[in-house]
Amino acid sequence: EPEVTQTPSHQVTQMGQEVILRCVPISNHLYFYWYRQILGQKVEFLVSFYNNEISEKSEIFDDQFSVERPDGSNFTLKIRSTKLEDSAMYFCASRDRVPGNTIYFGEGSWLTVV
Amino acid sequence: AQSVAQPEDQVNVAEGNPLTVKCTYSVSGNPYLFWYVQYPNRGLQFLLKYITGDNLVKGSYGFEAEFNKSQTSFHLKKPSALVSDSALYFCAVREDYGQNFVFGPGTRLSVLP
């Protein structure tokens, strides 16, 4: 069964450093998402991406965050200058064009900022 | 703006007993409703969804959910709980014309042997 893959599974970074989290969505999917989850708590929406542009973003997704689809397969989340409070599990998700279909999540990238 | 409430942080049930995990939602348009399960240190796995049609939907692992438009609820149910059902359960809603999936705060289900 096709799946969303994410790398790295875990990254430790120093405060102020840039981090790039990578995702390979399911191949025929057209809508891409990033969510984050702090300490197994609420799943928070960050951004959605369609047709090579951001379609929606939350208040969390400030100027320190950016997303990119550099080629036909990867979807990346960049945090320019990490803060301690960015420590979380970051989930990538994708879905196809059929209205009402679910989004499929990757296994997550655990980011620890020290 | 859409929102989801899961009024119980924790649900405990004995193995073999029926379980219910509650979810209520608020949307402007027509709702698309979803349940996901998360096991420790894993991603969210899709269980079932309601888009239109029959109010009772069946999903993976014997779970089902009932859409109630008047009560704006979408409670998750299973007739006979298993210890392996112990996990974190998330309800999510998407408006039919939107893209964003909004998740509830999650309910931790513990099934006791």
Side-chain angles (χ1 to χ4, degrees), chain B residues 6-19:
Chain B
Q6 292 179 244
E8 300 152 319
D9 293 334
Q10 173 93 32
V11 170
N12 297 321
V13 64
E15 187 175 29
N17 283 1
L19 70 87

Side-chain angles (χ1 to χ4, degrees), chain A residues 31 33 35 37 40-43 45 48 50 55-56 89 91 95 98-107, chain B residues 4 32 34 36 38 41-46 49 51 88 90 94 96 98-105 108:
Chain A
Y31 296 86
Y33 303 80
Y35 286 83
Q37 185 181 36
Q41 302 298 316
K42 187 173 183 178
V43 177
F45 169 72
S48 59
Y50 171 71
S55 45
E56 290 183 59
M89 181 73 91
F91 290 107
R95 71 173 179 92
V98 177
N101 272 5
T102 188
I103 52 175
Y104 291 90
F105 285 84
E107 291 295 314
Chain B
V4 179
Y32 292 164
F34 304 83
Y36 293 83
Q38 186 181 33
N41 301 313
R42 301 295 302 277
L44 279 73
Q45 295 178 35
F46 168 70
K49 66 179 179 182
I51 304 302
L88 194 52
F90 290 96
R94 180 169 78 86
D96 57 355
Q99 294 183 27
N100 180 16
F101 287 66
V102 173
F103 285 81
R108 190 165 300 279

